[in-house]
Amino acid sequence: MKTALAFLRERRTAFVGSFTALCLGAAILTMSALILLSGGSGVPERYAGTAVLVQSGPLDPATFQEAAPFAPEDVRRLTRDLAAVPGVHAAVPDRSFYAQAVDGARPLGEQRTGDRLGHGWSSAALAPYRLTSGRAPQTADEVALDRSLGLATGARTTLLTADGPAPFTVSGTVDGPGYYLTDARAGELSAGVRVIGLRLEAGADAAAVAAGAGRVVGDGGRVLSGAGRADLAPGEDEEIRWIGGQVVSAMTGLSAFVTVFVVSSAFAFTVLRRRREFGLLRTIGATPRQVRRTVSVEGLVVGALAAAVGTLLGTAGVPVLGDVLVDAGFQPRGFAVQQRPWVSVLAFLAGVAIAFAGVWTASRRAARIGPMEALREAAVDDRPLTRWRRITGLAFVALGVGAAVATASAAPADMIVFALVTAVGLITGTALLMPAFVPPLVRLATRPFRGARGATVVLVRAGMLAAVRRTSSTVAPVLATVAFTVLITVNTATTAQSYADRDVASVSAAATVVPDRTPGLTDAEVRRITGSPIVPTVLYAGSARTPVEAVGVEPAAYAAVHGLSDDDLAALKQGEGAVVVSRSGLAAFGARAGASVPVTFEDGTTRPLRIAAVLDDRDLPHAAVLTRALVRAHDPAALTAAVHRTGPPVEVRGGREITVEEFGGRDAAAEDRLVRVFTLLLVALSAGYTGIAVAGTLLMSTADRVPDLRILRRSGATARQVLGALAAESALVVAIGTVLGALVAVPSLLGIRAGLSGTLGIPVALVVPWPPILATVAATLLLALLATVLPAARSLRTKEGAPDLRTTD
């Protein structure tokens, strides 16, 4: 222990990179764990004033779709029976539908897809929202609305609903969002009921009421009270939370891998520099076990200090990260981080474990150093690539190649996993085999300059070939930086572009009309457009009521726009009891073509639908297709998502026209934005980590070569020549790392391209976003030059004297 602490005091600079990487890793681990363990956005404001609620069922964890609504007869029965539970003042079915005020032709506000802000007046009490002026609506053409809209009591306004614009009189204003009509009018505009709120009598015990409600509901729903009411958060919020969890998990996994990579590289290089010291220890009687223990203690001390500092920084900074994730769209509005002290303790222990994992290999290598081997060691590496390193490196390369092959045939959800395994395997394997790659690459890179005047090329070539291990240690972090940057940026860009190309390839239309400041187009506007409207809805198939995303279409127009034959959708034209599904959507129905399957619609009614045809995913871009009339009959609140226009252009209230190509990209615009932010985070994280490794390794390398540099100066070389040689060597290191990093990413990207081509049925070309890749390489080069030239220049400015042969930092 004393020896290890003495080494740490003498070689503080050698551990700066490892300390920084471990500190950052512990901070990220702490913040990630706290965010993942924090709840969502809490109880939705719409239900915050209701202590007990009854829900038809939970969100589907795979699709984030709501459970099927109560059947209409169940709504009537439950409303009656729940109102009779002791302590209940009233049972209120919550009916929701699309509503939005317009000023002339301009919709007020901007609603998300899926937002249904129209409600019956009884639902206002569930929040509770109260009147700030006027009275509750009493007739079908009256509305109470949010006072923030600036409409006074008695004013006339136009509301957009799924049917189209309709005139209303403002009967009153409330202190919360929404448009409140009479319960009867809301029943005409809404679909099914999924939530029934229980308004309690004064002094009623919520727990007793919940127990009584549970006996009434039985297996036909679930009763929510207290914190459990947070389960009523919209599916969009839960999907955002899931995406945010994937982002945070990816950051954590990448952070752990790169931290181990950085720490192991740094300690391996430190052991390489200190072979004479360990040889001296062995000479005076130290055993291999003691040497290994010395290096391990150094790593654990550095790890403990770094993990402690990182844990404190992570605990203090997690609220800021939470706000950033909300602003970026990776957490829903209202998300708040919850502090848990035990998480910080576990993060500290994990940081120490990561440090030990990083230093374990280096300690074993140090223990193998013999006294005579170290004492007679020359400047030239005699065994830069050991047998164990060769075998391990080839094993990781084989793992990466195997994962690349598996990527080509993997399901879309598994492609990214195999791609990351490919990258990790090839990066690790190439880093281990680096001593075999460096000599031929150095000779190849310097060959064109061998005839150049001056000694710079000779110094660079000889120095890098004489110290292959040192060169390999400096190339490895550059390799990881470039490989991760190329993999992440090209993968996300190619995936986004391929799906956009797939959507565009299947559509033949003059243009596409899409919503503008509204979550969808109304029927009144759709009737004015000649083309193929798409009305999304959700079907609940089979006895399990599995959610299936479906669309209602005009069969003839849909077939013409999507290049389908008359036979493909013939069954839809003949009757209302048929559905056409894609091969991927067929599994949700649990039946074969021609079978009839019980399907629950958005209004809660259940009826059989016959699977009239099964089309290939390449031909049918939707899981299930049925007639628009059937969707409208069972989902009065459904809005049209888009209309592929084939006739003349028209002005549309709440809509605008874009090209088919733009629609292909717009369809996933929100997801693409999240992907871009996700890409930026991962690139910044990987580049930042490996930048630490580049700087730390080159700083140690330069410090180790100060005596050689001074000998060069005494031999007649000018400071400019010495620094020029170091700069050229750093540039060559970055160039070799860039080439190898790009090559390492290629198998993973080719696998993803092959997988996407097979899934989408179209040729997929790799999309290379050059700006972030070139920026990463330029930043790495600048960092390498600064970490090499500045310390060397400072050392060469010291007072001339005998060459300084000290080996401490």
Side-chain angles (χ1 to χ4, degrees), residues 224-313:
L224 304 176
S225 61
R229 296 172 297 164
D231 289 351
L232 293 170
E236 292 89 344
D237 286 357
E238 292 304 305
E239 185 173 8
I240 289 173
R241 283 193 63 205
W242 180 83
I243 294 173
Q246 300 303 303
V247 171
V248 173
S249 298
M251 290 174 56
T252 305
L254 181 61
S255 171
F257 169 73
V258 181
T259 299
V260 173
F261 185 87
V262 170
V263 173
S264 60
S265 298
F267 271 93
F269 189 66
T270 301
V271 169
L272 176 64
R273 296 177 62 206
R274 297 164 58 188
R275 297 187 71 181
R276 285 188 174 88
E277 294 176 8
F278 292 134
L280 290 173
L281 287 176
R282 294 296 312 282
T283 301
I284 61 176
T287 65
R289 182 178 180 181
Q290 289 174 318
V291 173
R292 184 170 60 248
R293 186 186 303 160
T294 298
V295 177
S296 298
V297 168
E298 291 176 359
L300 291 176
V301 171
V302 172
L305 293 175
V309 175
T311 300
L312 293 176
L313 291 176

Side-chain angles (χ1 to χ4, degrees), residues 630-802:
L630 183 58
V631 171
R632 176 59 68 225
H634 291 282
D635 191 357
L639 293 166
T640 299
V643 179
H644 295 302
R645 179 178 62 80
T646 56
V650 295
E651 292 292 331
V652 178
R653 184 187 333 217
R656 63 188 178 92
E657 192 170 280
I658 61 176
T659 66
V660 174
E661 289 75 16
E662 289 174 323
F663 174 75
R666 181 188 182 277
D667 192 48
E671 182 179 347
D672 289 347
R673 184 188 64 81
L674 295 179
V675 167
R676 287 194 296 271
V677 177
F678 182 34
T679 301
L680 179 62
L681 286 174
L682 291 186
V683 168
L685 182 63
S686 60
Y689 258 116
T690 48
I692 293 171
V694 171
T697 303
L698 288 175
L699 279 171
M700 288 188 290
S701 175
T702 303
D704 198 40
R705 300 172 64 185
V706 168
D708 298 335
L709 301 180
R710 289 178 177 169
I711 290 175
L712 284 175
R713 289 283 286 119
R714 299 271 180 99
S715 301
T718 64
R720 182 176 180 179
Q721 289 175 320
V722 173
L723 296 179
L726 288 176
E729 186 174 323
S730 296
L732 186 54
V733 163
V734 172
I736 293 174
T738 299
V739 171
L740 291 177
L743 292 176
V744 161
V746 167
S748 178
L749 297 175
L750 292 178
I752 290 174
R753 185 184 69 172
L756 289 173
S757 297
T759 300
L760 303 179
I762 60 173
V764 174
L766 292 178
V767 180
V768 182
W770 289 107
I773 295 175
L774 295 178
T776 300
V777 174
T780 304
L781 177 59
L782 178 62
L783 189 62
L785 292 174
L786 293 177
T788 303
V789 175
L790 292 182
R794 181 180 178 184
S795 299
L796 293 176
R797 284 198 302 267
T798 58
K799 184 177 179 180
E800 292 289 342

Side-chain angles (χ1 to χ4, degrees), residues 288-571:
R289 182 178 180 181
Q290 289 174 318
V291 173
R292 184 170 60 248
R293 186 186 303 160
T294 298
V295 177
S296 298
V297 168
E298 291 176 359
L300 291 176
V301 171
V302 172
L305 293 175
V309 175
T311 300
L312 293 176
L313 291 176
T315 303
V318 68
V320 177
L321 178 61
D323 293 340
V324 170
L325 292 175
V326 172
D327 293 340
F330 289 120
Q331 289 294 342
R333 291 171 292 183
F335 171 78
V337 177
Q338 301 172 7
Q339 295 283 1
R340 290 179 169 84
W342 62 268
V343 171
S344 300
V345 175
L346 291 181
F348 168 79
L349 296 176
V352 175
I354 290 174
F356 181 77
V359 78
W360 180 76
T361 301
S363 67
R364 290 177 58 87
R365 181 177 301 144
R368 289 196 297 267
I369 296 176
M372 297 305 297
E373 176 188 0
L375 292 177
R376 66 170 181 264
E377 182 184 16
V380 180
D381 293 330
D382 51 355
R383 290 182 59 207
L385 185 61
T386 63
R387 179 184 177 187
W388 179 89
R389 183 166 182 162
R390 183 186 299 108
I391 294 173
T392 307
L394 291 174
F396 272 104
V397 170
L399 172 66
V401 173
V405 174
T407 305
S409 58
D414 298 328
M415 283 184 190
I416 188 62
V417 176
F418 283 110
L420 290 176
V421 172
T422 301
V424 169
L426 292 178
I427 289 173
T428 306
T430 306
L432 290 171
L433 298 175
M434 189 67 69
F437 298 136
V438 164
L441 289 175
V442 170
R443 295 188 182 97
L444 180 64
T446 57
R447 180 170 298 170
F449 305 98
R450 294 186 66 179
R453 298 179 60 185
T456 300
V457 176
V458 175
L459 289 175
V460 171
R461 181 185 177 94
M464 297 181 73
L465 292 177
V468 173
R469 284 188 178 179
R470 183 188 68 204
T471 305
S472 301
S473 297
T474 54
V475 171
V478 180
L479 158 73
T481 302
V482 176
F484 276 122
T485 301
V486 172
L487 173 66
I488 294 169
T489 57
V490 177
N491 177 32
T492 52
T494 300
T495 302
Q497 186 61 48
S498 63
Y499 277 94
D501 291 343
R502 189 276 310 269
D503 293 339
V504 171
S506 63
V507 175
S508 175
T512 302
V513 181
V514 297
D516 184 22
R517 298 176 62 86
T518 65
L521 302 172
T522 67
D523 285 355
E525 301 303 319
V526 171
R527 285 191 290 268
R528 300 174 54 236
I529 308 170
T530 301
S532 173
I534 300 172
V535 184
T537 189
V538 179
L539 305 177
Y540 300 88
S543 57
R545 295 189 175 187
T546 304
V548 182
E549 294 184 1
V551 294
V553 303
E554 301 291 349
Y558 185 87
V561 166
H562 288 83
L564 301 176
S565 68
D566 292 339
D567 295 336
D568 291 331
L569 301 182

